[in-house]
Structure formats: structure tokens, C-alpha cells
Amino acid sequence: MALWGYYALPDLPSNTRVNWLTPAEKELALLRMKNAGKQLDEPITWVGVARVFKKWHFWVYTAYYTYSVPQINTYPTVTNAVTIVTTLCYGWVSDGIGLRSPIVYFSLTVCFFAAMNLAVWDGVPFGLKWASFYLTGFAQGSGPVFLTMVNEICAGDSLERKLILGSTNSIAYAFNAWIPLITYDTNYAPRFLIGNSVTVGLIVCAACTLSLALYLQRRDAARSKRAMV
């Protein structure tokens, strides 16, 4: 797989060296990036990094990925199947309606409902507990949609896009590597009060972060529109 990826992935239009693309196709890819308003690849420099850090995009979008996804230990195959189906559906619907944030909000809402049920536990019907475990599979599929939104918003600055996407992915994996180990102590299975309570709080933080990003995005768009008048 790694060898195939090395051969098949063409890298960026501005620096691709694959031999299965003709010069005309490479020029077409560059033209498409230009028409889409995307800046060509920019090397990482201290000046460029400082420019990115001065913008809100890096701090807000990176902060979104500080929430964790519950790690299900019982019948994980079903949860993974839910993740696969929802990931495909999120992508199709998002592209179909041309919007990203509603998909992410929907995912957060479903996972908030599931985590709340699992945190409360007492008094929650047995069937709803099972359903809530499976509903946690709605979480991971919204990640690619969120990253697509970031990619589109930062399309005009290739260095910023590169740093933010790399940082968000790194932080997501870093947090998911240790937070579940601490908060989902298997000694307390099947009720993970601490883990699901933390998840509820972090989902709220993620929703607030997303809302802040949308507000700042609209503010910047309004400023740009006024500047053009």
C-alpha cells in the first residue's frame, strides 16, 4: 500500500513529478487551482509561519480537535460499521448541499445525545443504552467534512492551509491516544461516568469552537466585501 501510494499520489500540481501525468494535464491542474482561488504551494519559512500564527484560523480550527471520541469495547464492529456508513453519507450530503458546518453540527448533536445517555446511565432504558453506544459511531465521519471546510476557507493561503491541516490531524491523534485511557477506565465498565461526562463537555467545547470559526469567517467575508465596494 505504501509503495502504491508513493507511485499513485501525484503530490501537488505545483511540484508533482509523476510520469503518468502529461505536461498538459499538469498545467490543467495548476489552472484549476488558480480558478478556484487556491494559492500554489508555498515553502515553510519563519516569516510565513509568523503570518499564519497571527490569524485566527490556526488557533480556532486547531482547538476544535481537542475533544475525544469514546472508545467502545463491546461489539465494536457495529460501531465501526456505523462510522463507515455515516462517513460516506456525510461526504455525499455535504457535497450535495454545498455546506460543511451543518453536517458537523449534526454529528456533534447525535454524539452529545449519546454521551449524555451513557453518562446519566441510571434510569436510561436498556435499549437506549445500546443505541447510544452505537450512535457514538456518528462522530468520526464528520472529521473529513470539518477538514474540508478548513481547506476551503484557507484556500487562498497554501502555507496556512498546510500548517492548520497538519496541526489539526496531529492534535486529534495525540489527544485520542491518551484521553480515552485516562477517562474510560475499564474497571468501571460498562458505565464510564467520567469518560462520557468529559466527552459531553468536550463536545460542547467543539460546538462553541465551530460556532466561533463560522462567526469569524462571516466577519472576514463581510470585511472583504466592504473593501471591494
Side-chain angles (χ1 to χ4, degrees):
M1 182 64 72
L3 292 175
W4 172 249
Y6 181 80
Y7 171 78
L9 297 178
D11 213 333
L12 299 174
S14 57
N15 63 0
T16 181
R17 292 179 292 180
V18 295
N19 55 14
W20 48 267
L21 285 176
T22 66
E25 289 172 332
K26 294 177 182 179
E27 288 296 327
L28 177 60
L30 290 171
L31 180 61
R32 285 177 173 174
M33 287 190 66
K34 182 179 179 181
N35 292 338
K38 294 186 177 181
Q39 184 190 39
L40 298 181
D41 188 43
E42 176 185 353
I44 297 179
T45 62
W46 287 113
V47 174
V49 171
R51 184 189 74 241
V52 172
F53 283 174
K54 290 178 181 178
K55 296 182 180 180
W56 63 265
H57 300 95
F58 178 85
W59 304 105
V60 174
Y61 287 131
T62 303
Y64 175 89
Y65 265 109
T66 58
Y67 77 94
S68 64
V69 178
Q71 303 299 302
I72 307 302
N73 295 315
T74 306
Y75 298 106
T77 304
V78 177
T79 306
N80 292 334
V82 172
T83 297
I84 293 172
V85 173
T86 53
T87 299
L88 293 172
C89 291
Y90 289 161
W92 291 332
V93 174
S94 177
D95 287 342
I97 64 177
L99 297 172
R100 313 300 179 193
S101 58
I103 304 299
V104 182
Y105 277 124
F106 172 77
S107 171
L108 292 174
T109 301
V110 173
C111 293
F112 177 84
F113 172 76
M116 280 291 294
N117 290 331
L118 296 174
V120 173
W121 194 264
D122 293 333
V124 177
F126 179 77
L128 184 55
K129 292 176 183 176
W130 273 90
S132 296
F133 275 118
Y134 294 148
L135 287 175
T136 59
F138 277 67
Q140 294 172 324
S142 63
V145 177
F146 175 80
L147 293 177
T148 299
M149 182 178 71
V150 176
N151 186 32
E152 292 171 344
I153 292 174
C154 301
D157 190 329
S158 65
L159 178 59
E160 179 183 51
R161 184 172 68 250
K162 186 189 309 181
L163 289 176
I164 292 178
L165 292 178
S167 298
T168 51
N169 273 295
S170 299
I171 289 176
Y173 285 116
F175 270 79
N176 281 325
W178 63 273
I179 285 184
L181 297 178
I182 296 176
T183 58
Y184 287 87
D185 189 342
T186 55
N187 291 322
Y188 298 102
R191 184 186 185 185
F192 300 100
L193 175 60
I194 296 177
N196 286 301
S197 298
V198 170
T199 298
V200 168
L202 293 177
I203 288 175
V204 172
C205 291
C208 293
T209 303
L210 178 60
S211 299
L212 176 61
L214 292 174
Y215 165 76
L216 294 173
Q217 175 192 350
R218 292 177 182 135
R219 184 202 64 181
D220 291 351
R223 288 179 177 176
S224 299
K225 187 176 181 180
R226 287 196 299 268
M228 295 175 61
V229 176

Coordinates of all heavy atoms in Angstrom, one line a residue, residues 5-76:
G5 N 1.0 4.0 -2.9 CA 0.7 5.4 -2.6 C 1.8 6.3 -3.1 O 1.6 7.4 -3.6
Y6 N 3.1 5.9 -2.9 CA 4.2 6.7 -3.4 C 4.1 6.9 -4.9 O 4.5 7.9 -5.4 CB 5.5 6.0 -3.0 CG 6.7 6.7 -3.4 CD1 7.2 7.8 -2.6 CD2 7.5 6.3 -4.6 CE1 8.4 8.5 -3.0 CE2 8.6 7.0 -4.9 CZ 9.0 8.1 -4.2 OH 10.2 8.8 -4.5
Y7 N 3.6 5.9 -5.6 CA 3.6 6.0 -7.1 C 2.3 6.7 -7.5 O 2.3 7.5 -8.4 CB 3.6 4.6 -7.7 CG 3.3 4.5 -9.2 CD1 4.3 4.9 -10.1 CD2 2.1 4.2 -9.6 CE1 4.0 4.9 -11.4 CE2 1.8 4.2 -11.0 CZ 2.8 4.5 -11.9 OH 2.5 4.5 -13.2
A8 N 1.2 6.4 -6.9 CA -0.1 6.8 -7.4 C -0.5 8.2 -7.0 O -1.2 8.9 -7.7 CB -1.2 5.9 -7.0
L9 N 0.0 8.7 -5.8 CA -0.4 10.0 -5.3 C 0.5 11.0 -6.0 O 1.7 11.0 -5.8 CB -0.3 10.1 -3.8 CG -1.2 9.2 -3.0 CD1 -1.0 9.3 -1.5 CD2 -2.7 9.5 -3.3
P10 N -0.1 12.0 -6.7 CA 0.7 12.9 -7.5 C 1.3 14.1 -6.8 O 2.0 14.9 -7.4 CB -0.3 13.3 -8.6 CG -1.6 13.3 -7.9 CD -1.5 12.2 -7.0
D11 N 1.1 14.2 -5.5 CA 1.5 15.4 -4.7 C 0.7 16.6 -5.2 O -0.4 16.4 -5.6 CB 3.0 15.6 -4.9 CG 3.6 16.2 -3.6 OD1 2.9 16.9 -2.9 OD2 4.8 15.9 -3.4
L12 N 1.3 17.8 -5.2 CA 0.6 19.0 -5.5 C 0.9 19.3 -7.0 O 1.9 19.0 -7.6 CB 1.0 20.1 -4.6 CG 0.8 20.0 -3.1 CD1 1.4 21.1 -2.4 CD2 -0.7 19.9 -2.9
P13 N -0.1 20.0 -7.6 CA 0.1 20.4 -9.0 C 1.4 21.2 -9.3 O 2.0 21.2 -10.3 CB -1.1 21.2 -9.4 CG -2.2 20.7 -8.4 CD -1.4 20.4 -7.2
S14 N 1.8 22.0 -8.2 CA 3.0 22.8 -8.4 C 4.3 22.1 -8.3 O 5.4 22.6 -8.7 CB 2.9 24.0 -7.4 OG 2.9 23.4 -6.1
N15 N 4.3 20.9 -7.7 CA 5.6 20.2 -7.5 C 5.5 18.7 -7.9 O 6.4 18.0 -7.6 CB 6.0 20.3 -6.0 CG 5.1 19.6 -5.1 OD1 4.1 19.1 -5.5 ND2 5.4 19.7 -3.8
T16 N 4.5 18.3 -8.6 CA 4.3 16.9 -8.9 C 5.4 16.5 -9.9 O 5.8 17.2 -10.8 CB 2.9 16.6 -9.5 OG1 2.9 15.2 -9.8 CG2 2.7 17.4 -10.8
R17 N 5.9 15.3 -9.7 CA 7.0 14.7 -10.6 C 6.6 13.4 -11.2 O 7.4 12.6 -11.7 CB 8.3 14.6 -9.9 CG 8.9 16.0 -9.5 CD 10.2 15.8 -8.7 NE 9.9 15.2 -7.4 CZ 10.9 14.9 -6.5 NH1 12.1 15.2 -6.8 NH2 10.6 14.4 -5.3
V18 N 5.3 13.0 -11.1 CA 4.9 11.7 -11.6 C 4.9 11.7 -13.1 O 4.7 12.7 -13.7 CB 3.4 11.4 -11.1 CG1 3.4 11.2 -9.6 CG2 2.5 12.4 -11.5
N19 N 5.2 10.5 -13.6 CA 5.4 10.4 -15.1 C 4.1 10.0 -15.8 O 4.1 9.9 -17.0 CB 6.5 9.4 -15.4 CG 6.3 8.0 -14.8 OD1 5.2 7.7 -14.3 ND2 7.3 7.2 -14.8
W20 N 3.0 9.7 -15.0 CA 1.8 9.3 -15.6 C 0.8 10.5 -15.9 O -0.3 10.3 -16.3 CB 1.1 8.2 -14.8 CG 0.9 8.5 -13.3 CD1 1.8 8.1 -12.4 CD2 -0.1 9.2 -12.7 NE1 1.4 8.5 -11.1 CE2 0.2 9.2 -11.3 CE3 -1.3 9.8 -13.1 CZ2 -0.6 9.7 -10.3 CZ3 -2.1 10.4 -12.2 CH2 -1.8 10.4 -10.8
L21 N 1.3 11.7 -15.6 CA 0.6 12.9 -15.9 C 1.3 13.6 -17.0 O 2.5 13.8 -16.9 CB 0.4 13.9 -14.7 CG -0.6 13.5 -13.7 CD1 -0.6 14.5 -12.5 CD2 -2.0 13.4 -14.2
T22 N 0.6 14.0 -18.1 CA 1.3 14.7 -19.2 C 1.5 16.2 -18.8 O 0.8 16.7 -17.8 CB 0.4 14.7 -20.4 OG1 -0.8 15.4 -20.2 CG2 0.1 13.2 -20.8
P23 N 2.4 16.9 -19.4 CA 2.6 18.3 -19.1 C 1.3 19.1 -19.3 O 1.1 20.0 -18.5 CB 3.6 18.7 -20.2 CG 4.4 17.5 -20.4 CD 3.4 16.4 -20.4
A24 N 0.5 18.7 -20.2 CA -0.8 19.5 -20.4 C -1.7 19.2 -19.2 O -2.4 20.1 -18.8 CB -1.5 19.0 -21.7
E25 N -1.7 18.0 -18.7 CA -2.6 17.7 -17.5 C -2.1 18.4 -16.3 O -2.9 18.9 -15.4 CB -2.6 16.2 -17.3 CG -3.4 15.4 -18.3 CD -3.2 13.9 -18.2 OE1 -2.2 13.5 -17.7 OE2 -4.2 13.2 -18.6
K26 N -0.8 18.6 -16.1 CA -0.2 19.3 -15.0 C -0.6 20.8 -15.1 O -0.9 21.4 -14.1 CB 1.3 19.1 -15.0 CG 1.8 17.7 -14.7 CD 3.3 17.5 -14.7 CE 3.7 16.1 -14.5 NZ 5.2 15.9 -14.5
E27 N -0.5 21.3 -16.3 CA -0.9 22.7 -16.5 C -2.4 22.9 -16.2 O -2.8 23.9 -15.7 CB -0.6 23.1 -17.9 CG 0.9 23.3 -18.2 CD 1.5 24.4 -17.4 OE1 0.8 25.4 -17.1 OE2 2.7 24.3 -17.0
L28 N -3.2 21.9 -16.6 CA -4.6 22.0 -16.3 C -4.9 22.0 -14.8 O -5.8 22.7 -14.3 CB -5.3 20.8 -17.0 CG -6.8 20.7 -16.7 CD1 -7.6 22.0 -17.2 CD2 -7.4 19.4 -17.4
A29 N -4.1 21.2 -14.1 CA -4.3 21.2 -12.6 C -3.9 22.5 -12.0 O -4.6 23.0 -11.1 CB -3.4 20.0 -12.0
L30 N -2.9 23.1 -12.5 CA -2.5 24.4 -12.0 C -3.5 25.5 -12.3 O -3.9 26.3 -11.5 CB -1.1 24.8 -12.6 CG 0.1 24.1 -12.1 CD1 1.3 24.4 -13.0 CD2 0.4 24.4 -10.7
L31 N -4.1 25.4 -13.5 CA -5.2 26.3 -13.9 C -6.4 26.2 -13.0 O -7.0 27.2 -12.7 CB -5.5 26.1 -15.4 CG -6.6 27.0 -16.0 CD1 -6.1 28.5 -15.9 CD2 -6.9 26.6 -17.4
R32 N -6.7 24.9 -12.7 CA -7.9 24.7 -11.9 C -7.7 25.3 -10.5 O -8.6 25.8 -9.9 CB -8.2 23.2 -11.8 CG -8.8 22.6 -13.0 CD -9.0 21.1 -12.9 NE -9.7 20.5 -14.0 CZ -9.9 19.2 -14.2 NH1 -9.4 18.4 -13.3 NH2 -10.6 18.8 -15.2
M33 N -6.5 25.1 -9.9 CA -6.2 25.7 -8.6 C -6.4 27.2 -8.7 O -6.9 27.9 -7.8 CB -4.8 25.3 -8.2 CG -4.7 23.9 -7.7 SD -3.1 23.6 -6.9 CE -3.2 24.6 -5.4
K34 N -5.8 27.8 -9.7 CA -5.9 29.3 -9.9 C -7.4 29.7 -10.0 O -7.8 30.7 -9.4 CB -5.1 29.7 -11.1 CG -5.1 31.2 -11.3 CD -4.3 31.6 -12.6 CE -4.3 33.1 -12.8 NZ -3.5 33.5 -14.0
N35 N -8.2 29.0 -10.8 CA -9.6 29.4 -11.0 C -10.4 29.2 -9.7 O -11.4 29.9 -9.5 CB -10.2 28.5 -12.1 CG -9.6 28.9 -13.5 OD1 -9.1 30.0 -13.7 ND2 -9.7 28.0 -14.4
A36 N -10.0 28.3 -8.9 CA -10.6 28.0 -7.6 C -10.2 29.0 -6.5 O -10.7 28.9 -5.4 CB -10.4 26.6 -7.1
G37 N -9.3 29.8 -6.8 CA -8.8 30.8 -5.8 C -7.8 30.2 -4.8 O -7.6 30.8 -3.8
K38 N -7.2 29.1 -5.2 CA -6.3 28.5 -4.3 C -4.8 28.9 -4.6 O -4.4 28.8 -5.8 CB -6.4 27.0 -4.3 CG -7.7 26.5 -3.8 CD -7.8 24.9 -3.7 CE -9.1 24.5 -3.2 NZ -9.2 23.0 -3.1
Q39 N -4.1 29.3 -3.6 CA -2.7 29.7 -3.8 C -1.8 28.4 -4.0 O -2.1 27.4 -3.5 CB -2.2 30.4 -2.5 CG -0.8 30.9 -2.7 CD -0.2 31.4 -1.4 OE1 -0.5 30.8 -0.3 NE2 0.5 32.5 -1.4
L40 N -0.9 28.6 -4.9 CA 0.1 27.5 -5.1 C 0.9 27.2 -3.9 O 1.0 28.1 -3.0 CB 0.9 27.8 -6.4 CG 0.2 28.0 -7.7 CD1 1.1 28.3 -8.8 CD2 -0.7 26.8 -8.0
D41 N 1.6 26.1 -3.9 CA 2.3 25.6 -2.7 C 3.4 26.7 -2.3 O 4.1 27.2 -3.2 CB 3.0 24.3 -3.0 CG 3.6 23.7 -1.8 OD1 3.0 23.8 -0.7 OD2 4.7 23.2 -1.9
E42 N 3.4 26.9 -1.0 CA 4.4 27.9 -0.5 C 5.3 27.2 0.5 O 4.8 26.5 1.4 CB 3.7 29.1 0.2 CG 4.6 30.0 0.8 CD 3.9 31.1 1.6 OE1 2.6 31.1 1.6 OE2 4.5 31.9 2.3
P43 N 6.6 27.3 0.4 CA 7.5 26.6 1.3 C 7.4 27.2 2.7 O 7.0 28.4 2.9 CB 8.9 26.9 0.7 CG 8.7 28.2 -0.1 CD 7.3 28.1 -0.7
I44 N 7.6 26.4 3.7 CA 7.5 26.8 5.1 C 8.8 27.7 5.5 O 9.9 27.2 5.4 CB 7.4 25.6 6.0 CG1 6.1 24.8 5.7 CG2 7.4 26.1 7.5 CD1 6.0 23.6 6.6
T45 N 8.5 28.9 5.9 CA 9.5 29.8 6.3 C 9.1 30.4 7.7 O 7.9 30.4 8.0 CB 9.8 30.9 5.3 OG1 8.6 31.7 5.2 CG2 10.2 30.4 4.0
W46 N 10.0 31.0 8.4 CA 9.7 31.6 9.7 C 8.7 32.8 9.5 O 7.8 33.0 10.3 CB 10.9 32.1 10.4 CG 11.7 30.9 11.0 CD1 13.0 30.5 10.6 CD2 11.3 30.0 12.0 NE1 13.4 29.4 11.4 CE2 12.4 29.1 12.2 CE3 10.2 29.9 12.8 CZ2 12.3 28.1 13.2 CZ3 10.1 28.9 13.8 CH2 11.2 28.0 14.0
V47 N 8.9 33.5 8.4 CA 8.1 34.7 8.1 C 6.6 34.2 7.8 O 5.7 34.7 8.3 CB 8.6 35.5 6.9 CG1 7.6 36.5 6.5 CG2 10.0 36.1 7.2
G48 N 6.6 33.1 7.0 CA 5.2 32.5 6.7 C 4.5 32.0 7.9 O 3.3 32.1 8.1
V49 N 5.3 31.3 8.8 CA 4.7 30.7 10.0 C 4.2 31.8 10.9 O 3.1 31.7 11.5 CB 5.7 29.8 10.7 CG1 5.2 29.4 12.1 CG2 6.1 28.6 9.9
A50 N 5.0 32.9 11.0 CA 4.5 34.0 11.8 C 3.2 34.6 11.3 O 2.4 35.0 12.0 CB 5.6 35.1 11.9
R51 N 3.1 34.7 10.0 CA 1.9 35.2 9.3 C 0.7 34.3 9.7 O -0.4 34.9 10.0 CB 2.1 35.3 7.8 CG 0.9 35.9 7.1 CD 1.1 35.8 5.6 NE 0.8 34.4 5.1 CZ 1.6 33.7 4.5 NH1 2.9 34.1 4.2 NH2 1.3 32.5 4.1
V52 N 0.9 33.0 9.6 CA -0.2 32.1 9.9 C -0.6 32.2 11.4 O -1.8 32.2 11.7 CB 0.2 30.7 9.6 CG1 -0.8 29.7 10.0 CG2 0.4 30.5 8.1
F53 N 0.3 32.3 12.3 CA 0.0 32.4 13.7 C -0.7 33.7 14.1 O -1.3 33.7 15.1 CB 1.3 32.2 14.5 CG 1.8 30.8 14.6 CD1 3.0 30.5 15.2 CD2 1.1 29.8 14.0 CE1 3.5 29.2 15.3 CE2 1.6 28.5 14.1 CZ 2.8 28.2 14.7
K54 N -0.6 34.7 13.3 CA -1.3 36.0 13.6 C -2.7 35.9 13.2 O -3.5 36.8 13.6 CB -0.6 37.1 12.8 CG 0.8 37.4 13.4 CD 1.5 38.6 12.6 CE 2.9 38.9 13.1 NZ 3.5 39.9 12.3
K55 N -3.2 34.9 12.5 CA -4.5 34.8 12.1 C -5.3 33.9 13.0 O -4.7 33.1 13.7 CB -4.6 34.2 10.6 CG -4.0 35.1 9.6 CD -4.2 34.5 8.2 CE -3.6 35.3 7.1 NZ -3.8 34.6 5.8
W56 N -6.6 34.1 13.1 CA -7.5 33.3 14.0 C -7.6 31.9 13.5 O -7.9 31.0 14.2 CB -8.8 34.0 14.1 CG -9.7 34.1 12.9 CD1 -9.8 35.1 12.1 CD2 -10.5 33.1 12.3 NE1 -10.6 34.9 11.0 CE2 -11.1 33.6 11.2 CE3 -10.9 31.8 12.7 CZ2 -12.0 32.9 10.4 CZ3 -11.7 31.0 11.9 CH2 -12.3 31.6 10.8
H57 N -7.5 31.6 12.2 CA -7.7 30.3 11.6 C -7.0 29.2 12.3 O -7.6 28.2 12.7 CB -7.4 30.3 10.1 CG -8.1 31.3 9.3 ND1 -7.6 32.5 9.0 CD2 -9.3 31.2 8.7 CE1 -8.4 33.2 8.2 NE2 -9.5 32.4 8.0
F58 N -5.7 29.4 12.5 CA -4.9 28.4 13.1 C -5.4 28.0 14.5 O -5.5 26.9 14.9 CB -3.4 28.8 13.2 CG -2.5 27.8 13.8 CD1 -2.0 26.7 13.1 CD2 -2.2 27.9 15.2 CE1 -1.1 25.8 13.7 CE2 -1.4 26.9 15.8 CZ -0.8 25.9 15.0
W59 N -5.6 29.0 15.4 CA -5.9 28.8 16.8 C -7.3 28.2 17.0 O -7.5 27.3 17.8 CB -5.8 30.1 17.6 CG -4.4 30.7 17.4 CD1 -4.0 31.8 16.6 CD2 -3.2 30.2 18.0 NE1 -2.7 32.0 16.7 CE2 -2.1 31.0 17.5 CE3 -2.9 29.1 18.8 CZ2 -0.8 30.8 17.9 CZ3 -1.5 28.9 19.2 CH2 -0.5 29.8 18.7
V60 N -8.3 28.7 16.2 CA -9.7 28.3 16.4 C -9.8 26.9 15.8 O -10.4 26.0 16.4 CB -10.6 29.3 15.7 CG1 -12.1 28.7 15.7 CG2 -10.6 30.6 16.4
Y61 N -9.4 26.6 14.6 CA -9.6 25.3 13.9 C -8.8 24.2 14.6 O -9.2 23.1 14.7 CB -9.2 25.4 12.5 CG -10.2 26.1 11.6 CD1 -9.8 27.1 10.7 CD2 -11.5 25.9 11.7 CE1 -10.7 27.8 10.0 CE2 -12.5 26.6 11.0 CZ -12.0 27.5 10.1 OH -13.0 28.2 9.3
T62 N -7.6 24.6 15.1 CA -6.8 23.6 15.8 C -7.4 23.2 17.2 O -7.4 22.1 17.6 CB -5.4 24.1 16.1 OG1 -4.8 24.4 14.8 CG2 -4.5 23.0 16.7
A63 N -8.0 24.2 17.8 CA -8.7 24.0 19.1 C -9.9 23.1 19.0 O -10.2 22.3 19.9 CB -9.1 25.3 19.7
Y64 N -10.5 23.0 17.8 CA -11.7 22.1 17.6 C -11.3 20.7 17.9 O -12.2 19.9 18.4 CB -12.2 22.3 16.2 CG -13.3 21.3 15.8 CD1 -14.6 21.7 16.0 CD2 -13.0 20.1 15.3 CE1 -15.7 20.9 15.7 CE2 -14.1 19.2 15.0 CZ -15.4 19.6 15.2 OH -16.4 18.8 14.8
Y65 N -10.1 20.3 17.6 CA -9.8 18.9 17.7 C -9.2 18.5 19.1 O -8.6 17.5 19.2 CB -8.7 18.5 16.6 CG -9.4 17.9 15.4 CD1 -9.5 18.6 14.2 CD2 -10.0 16.7 15.5 CE1 -10.1 18.1 13.1 CE2 -10.6 16.1 14.4 CZ -10.7 16.9 13.2 OH -11.3 16.3 12.1
T66 N -9.6 19.2 20.1 CA -9.2 18.8 21.4 C -10.3 17.9 22.1 O -10.2 17.7 23.3 CB -8.9 20.0 22.3 OG1 -10.1 20.8 22.4 CG2 -7.7 20.8 21.8
Y67 N -11.3 17.5 21.4 CA -12.3 16.6 22.0 C -12.0 15.2 21.6 O -11.5 14.9 20.5 CB -13.7 17.0 21.6 CG -14.2 16.6 20.3 CD1 -14.9 15.5 20.1 CD2 -13.9 17.5 19.2 CE1 -15.3 15.1 18.8 CE2 -14.3 17.1 17.9 CZ -15.0 15.9 17.7 OH -15.4 15.6 16.5
S68 N -12.4 14.2 22.4 CA -12.1 12.8 22.2 C -13.4 12.1 21.8 O -14.5 12.5 22.0 CB -11.5 12.1 23.4 OG -12.5 12.2 24.5
V69 N -13.2 10.9 21.2 CA -14.3 10.0 20.8 C -14.3 8.8 21.7 O -13.3 8.2 21.9 CB -14.1 9.6 19.3 CG1 -15.2 8.6 18.9 CG2 -14.1 10.8 18.4
P70 N -15.5 8.5 22.3 CA -15.5 7.3 23.2 C -15.0 6.1 22.5 O -15.3 5.8 21.4 CB -17.0 7.2 23.6 CG -17.5 8.6 23.3 CD -16.8 9.1 22.2
Q71 N -14.2 5.3 23.3 CA -13.7 4.1 22.7 C -14.6 2.9 23.2 O -14.6 2.6 24.4 CB -12.3 3.9 23.2 CG -11.3 5.0 22.9 CD -11.2 5.2 21.4 OE1 -10.9 4.3 20.6 NE2 -11.6 6.3 20.9
I72 N -15.3 2.3 22.3 CA -16.2 1.3 22.6 C -15.5 -0.1 22.7 O -14.8 -0.4 21.8 CB -17.4 1.2 21.6 CG1 -18.0 2.6 21.5 CG2 -18.4 0.2 22.0 CD1 -18.5 3.2 22.7
N73 N -15.7 -0.8 23.8 CA -15.1 -2.1 23.9 C -16.0 -3.3 23.6 O -15.6 -4.4 23.4 CB -14.6 -2.2 25.4 CG -13.5 -1.2 25.7 OD1 -12.6 -1.0 24.9 ND2 -13.6 -0.6 26.8
T74 N -17.3 -3.0 23.6 CA -18.3 -4.1 23.4 C -18.9 -4.0 22.0 O -19.4 -2.9 21.6 CB -19.4 -4.0 24.4 OG1 -18.9 -4.0 25.7 CG2 -20.4 -5.2 24.3
Y75 N -18.8 -5.0 21.2 CA -19.3 -5.1 19.9 C -18.8 -3.9 19.0 O -19.6 -3.1 18.5 CB -20.8 -5.1 19.9 CG -21.4 -6.4 20.6 CD1 -22.0 -6.3 21.8 CD2 -21.3 -7.6 19.9 CE1 -22.4 -7.4 22.5 CE2 -21.8 -8.8 20.6 CZ -22.4 -8.7 21.8 OH -22.8 -9.8 22.5
P76 N -17.5 -3.7 18.9 CA -17.0 -2.5 18.2 C -17.3 -2.6 16.7 O -17.3 -1.5 16.1 CB -15.5 -2.5 18.5 CG -15.2 -4.0 18.8 CD -16.4 -4.5 19.5

